Amino acid sequence: MDNTKFGYSEPVIACEIGCGYGGFAKLFKSWYPNATFIMLDLPETLLLASFFIASNFPKARIGYMADFSQKEVLSSERAKEYDFILLPWWYIENLTAKIIDIYFNFSSMQEMTLEFIRYYFEHIERTCRDGGYFYCESRLHNPLRYGGVSFKYFPFDKSWKIIYSQASEVIIEQIRYRGL
């Protein structure tokens, strides 16, 4: 994360949309041991992620859906009680405003409908701190196989500034900074 302002010992709150089995969460937590890493995905996928994370971090404080009420608003103070928090995707609605320092998405938004991407962006922009980041790796063009949406249609509002962008013929990797 050389393109961000975060130091390795800071208590960062990171969130990955579409965390899969937890491979990136493991790497991130290894680099940023004081971070809280929120993992959002389908409940079935979170089952695999919970096994993987618990196996790799046996002493970690892991929060699961059972640790939070359906209506509990997740504040930064509550989030910092955990090393990892594994929640179904819809729990993004319960994150407090300006709680997340950095969001990550690796190729799952490209498989969503534009309506669903707009849903996520509404919550990403509500919950990302001013001075926060969004890292995305996605296809440049419509992935016809899935009927998804190409990166150029992602609905970033005007407060995002591109600080890093690299594209091949197929994939784009981009970091955006949320400023005023």
Side-chain angles (χ1 to χ4, degrees), residues 13 19 64 72 88 160 168:
I13 299 178
C19 65
Y64 301 98
E72 180 178 351
W160 292 102
S168 69

Side-chain angles (χ1 to χ4, degrees), residues 144-164:
L144 299 176
R145 186 171 133 193
Y146 302 109
V149 176
S150 69
F151 182 78
K152 67 182 177 183
Y153 296 111
F154 285 15
F156 291 100
D157 71 16
K158 294 177 182 173
S159 65
W160 292 102
K161 176 184 173 191
I162 298 170
I163 60 170
Y164 173 83

Side-chain angles (χ1 to χ4, degrees), residues 81-145:
E81 294 174 15
Y82 299 94
D83 295 303
F84 298 93
I85 300 174
L86 288 77
L87 297 170
W89 61 268
W90 61 84
Y91 206 88
I92 196 170
E93 295 176 10
N94 294 45
L95 300 180
T96 11
K98 311 297 183 201
I99 185 176
I100 305 298
D101 294 300
I102 186 164
Y103 270 99
F104 296 96
N105 181 261
F106 297 92
S107 302
S108 67
M109 283 188 173
Q110 70 193 19
E111 298 171 5
M112 298 176 192
T113 63
L114 186 55
E115 179 182 359
F116 207 39
I117 292 170
R118 285 184 180 133
Y119 165 84
Y120 269 121
F121 269 85
E122 173 188 336
H123 293 291
I124 290 167
E125 291 171 349
R126 177 184 63 78
T127 60
C128 188
R129 295 182 192 276
D130 295 330
Y133 298 88
F134 180 80
Y135 173 90
C136 187
E137 188 177 285
S138 191
R139 291 180 191 241
L140 277 171
H141 309 290
N142 287 357
L144 299 176
R145 186 171 133 193

